[in-house]
Structures are given as structure tokens and as C-alpha cells.
């Protein structure tokens, strides 16, 4: 485990370096692109060099690990060691000049996360976690909230759009109505999925849920939230399986059971 602790420190350094590069290029003005192809081209010009820098740094740290080529792909490798990374998680926010984006890096072994870093440079937030050891925000141990549902601020996100899943879209809409009528204080969407799930671990959010297969985006935050002590399950409260579960729920002890009831 000592070796993994040292690796986590070096992974964090690589992620911070990538975040600093992207911060230098970030502009507060929203993109001038008026259609999706133009926006994708503008983003690729910024993201591709950052992704290459992150891949170069992490591959040097653990050359035996493979590289998940596309973070939008919901498939998660189930055997061997793999780097699962997103140099600019929150592409839409980045292009719109908003600060709610992050750099993420997760090391998987046989489909399970060993370590994770979620770094939001413009928000001053750096989450780290090591399997079986704990989770930290800016170097300090974190724990989820224990607020009851009536005092809870929870978050959600739309289902992944690649590929589109009509069933997940329907569930997303009906679940929002169920949670709002169930008595929560507020529902929000605060940016990248991985960052919002990590914020459940630190108690900044009381819960996060989502429908659809989105393991690649959920895994970094899921490890952080779980290691912090939050309950990480599927939407019914059963074990969450990145490649199989149709829904996801991370919540503190005060809200998990009631939210699982509302979502299922």
C-alpha cells in the first residue's frame, strides 16, 4: 500500500500539471461556436494537447497499464490495469467560460478503482482517494453529511448522450419529479459528474443520482465518495456495477435509504 500512496502523490502532480496548462488557456468569454461541430472542433484544439500531456505523465508512472481511449465510451475494462482519465471533464462548462470543470485520473485493476484524483483548478478543489485507505479534499480527510432529506441539497445529471438511451431519459425525468415531491431542500446540477459525486464524499452535496450506463464518468467520484464513507449503490440501493447498473446513487447516511425508495 505504501507504493500505491506514493503513486497517488505522483498522479496528483500529473493531474495538477494538466490542470495548470488548461487554466492558462481558459477564457471567461463563452465560445463563439454556434453549432455542435464547431464547438467540438474548438474543444478538441484545447483538450487534445492536454490529454496527450496527461497520458505521457501517467504512462511513465505505470507503463504496464493500458489506456482507455475514449472517456465518452461507457465500457469499462474488466481485466488488467488501466488508466481511465479525462483531461477536461466538463467540456461544456469549459467552452462557456465557466469554472466548473475538472481533470480526472483513475487507475483501474480488473474493473475496480485503486486510486482516483478529481482536480477542479478554478474552484480550488482537489479530491484524492486510495482504495481501502480513505479520501481527501486538498489533503484533509473528508466525510459525507448526515443531514436529513428535508435539509438536503442533492444533485443529478442527464443520462449520457452517447449512446442515447430513451429508457434512461424517461427515468431521469420521472426521478426528478419524485425527488422534488419527496421533500428535499433543493436539486442542482453543478457541473462534471465526477466532481459532483466527489462532493457527496465531502458533504458539500448530500447526494447525487443518475440514470444510464456511465461507469467511465462515475468511477472517479464513486471511489472518493465510498472511501469517505458515503453509500454508493445503484438507484435501488443494490450494489452498483459500472458495466451493468441502470442507475447510480451516492448519498450520505441521512438521505440514502429515502432517496433509494424515491428513485426505485
Amino acid at each position: 500500500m505504501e507504493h500505491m500512496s506514493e503513486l497517488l502523490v505522483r498522479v496528483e502532480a500529473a493531474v495538477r500539471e494538466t490542470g495548470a496548462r488548461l487554466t492558462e488557456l481558459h477564457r471567461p468569454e463563452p465560445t463563439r461556436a454556434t453549432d455542435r461541430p464547431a464547438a467540438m472542433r474548438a474543444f478538441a484544439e484545447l483538450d487534445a494537447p492536454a490529454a496527450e500531456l496527461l497520458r505521457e505523465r501517467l504512462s511513465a508512472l505505470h507503463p504496464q497499464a493500458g489506456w482507455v481511449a475514449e472517456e465518452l465510451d461507457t465500457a469499462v475494462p474488466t481485466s488488467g490495469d488501466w488508466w481511465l482519465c479525462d483531461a477536461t471533464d466538463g467540456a461544456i462548462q469549459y467552452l462557456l467560460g465557466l469554472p466548473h470543470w475538472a481533470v480526472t485520473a483513475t487507475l483501474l485493476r480488473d474493473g475496480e478503482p485503486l486510486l482516483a484524483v478529481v482536480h477542479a483548478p478554478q474552484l480550488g478543489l482537489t479530491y484524492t482517494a486510495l482504495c481501502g485507505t480513505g479520501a481527501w479534499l486538498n489533503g484533509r480527510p473528508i466525510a459525507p453529511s448526515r443531514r436529513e432529506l428535508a435539509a438536503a441539497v442533492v444533485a443529478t445529471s442527464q443520462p449520457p448522450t452517447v449512446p442515447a438511451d430513451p429508457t434512461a431519459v424517461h427515468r431521469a425525468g420521472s426521478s426528478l419529479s419524485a425527488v422534488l415531491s419527496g421533500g428535499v431542500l433543493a436539486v442542482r446540477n453543478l457541473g462534471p459528474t465526477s466532481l459532483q459525486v466527489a462532493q457527496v464524499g465531502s458533504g458539500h452535496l448530500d447526494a447525487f443520482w443518475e440514470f444510464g450506463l456511465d461507469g467511465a464518468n462515475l468511477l472517479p467520484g464513486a471511489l472518493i465518495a465510498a472511501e469517505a464513507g458515503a453509500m454508493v449503490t445503484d438507484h435501488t440501493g443494490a450494489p452498483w456495477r459500472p458495466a451493468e447498473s441502470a442507475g447510480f446513487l451516492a448519498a450520505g447516511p441521512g438521505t440514502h435509504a429515502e432517496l433509494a425508495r424515491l428513485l426505485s
Side-chain angles (χ1 to χ4, degrees):
M1 190 59 67
E2 182 178 355
H3 167 70
M4 294 303 295
S5 298
E6 293 176 359
L7 181 60
L8 179 60
V9 170
R10 297 186 180 189
V11 172
E12 181 184 346
V15 168
R16 285 181 175 275
E17 181 183 359
T18 305
R21 178 79 60 87
L22 285 164
T23 300
E24 291 176 359
L25 299 172
H26 189 258
R27 297 292 178 266
E29 301 82 12
T31 177
R32 295 183 179 181
T34 57
D35 57 41
R36 183 167 180 168
M40 293 298 289
R41 287 193 298 270
F43 179 69
E45 291 178 0
L46 298 165
D47 180 68
E52 183 57 33
L53 171 63
L54 187 58
R55 180 171 185 169
E56 178 183 326
R57 296 292 187 266
L58 296 183
S59 295
L61 294 178
H62 186 12
Q64 294 78 22
W67 191 266
V68 179
E70 178 55 72
E71 65 270 6
L72 291 177
D73 185 356
T74 57
V76 176
T78 57
S79 63
D81 286 9
W82 293 84
W83 288 112
L84 175 66
C85 303
D86 193 343
T88 321
D89 189 9
I92 294 173
Q93 291 89 293
Y94 190 96
L95 286 177
L96 291 178
L98 298 170
H100 302 84
W101 55 274
V103 183
T104 73
T106 307
L107 180 61
L108 304 176
R109 177 165 293 165
D110 298 333
E112 298 294 330
L114 292 180
L115 60 82
V117 178
V118 175
H119 172 55
Q122 293 191 293
L123 298 177
L125 303 174
T126 304
Y127 288 90
T128 57
L130 188 61
C131 182
T133 301
W136 303 268
L137 170 57
N138 298 338
R140 296 183 178 182
I142 56 175
S145 79
R146 293 188 174 272
R147 288 183 285 271
E148 62 181 25
L149 198 65
V153 176
V154 302
T156 188
S157 184
Q158 68 190 67
T161 56
V162 183
D165 181 350
T167 300
V169 171
H170 175 75
R171 284 179 167 176
S174 61
S175 69
L176 180 58
S177 297
V179 172
L180 286 170
S181 63
V184 299
L185 181 63
V187 178
R188 297 289 185 264
N189 184 331
L190 301 177
T193 299
S194 60
L195 180 59
Q196 294 186 90
V197 179
Q199 288 177 303
V200 174
S202 59
H204 289 88
L205 289 171
D206 297 291
F208 176 91
W209 87 91
E210 183 183 294
F211 283 96
L213 290 174
D214 198 18
N217 283 313
L218 289 165
L219 271 166
L223 177 64
I224 292 165
E227 286 296 325
M231 302 181 71
V232 177
T233 66
D234 75 358
H235 64 288
T236 70
W240 177 64
R241 306 187 188 285
E244 302 173 12
S245 298
F248 174 89
L249 173 62
T255 59
H256 183 273
E258 186 63 15
L259 282 171
R261 184 188 68 80
L262 291 171
L263 293 174
S264 58

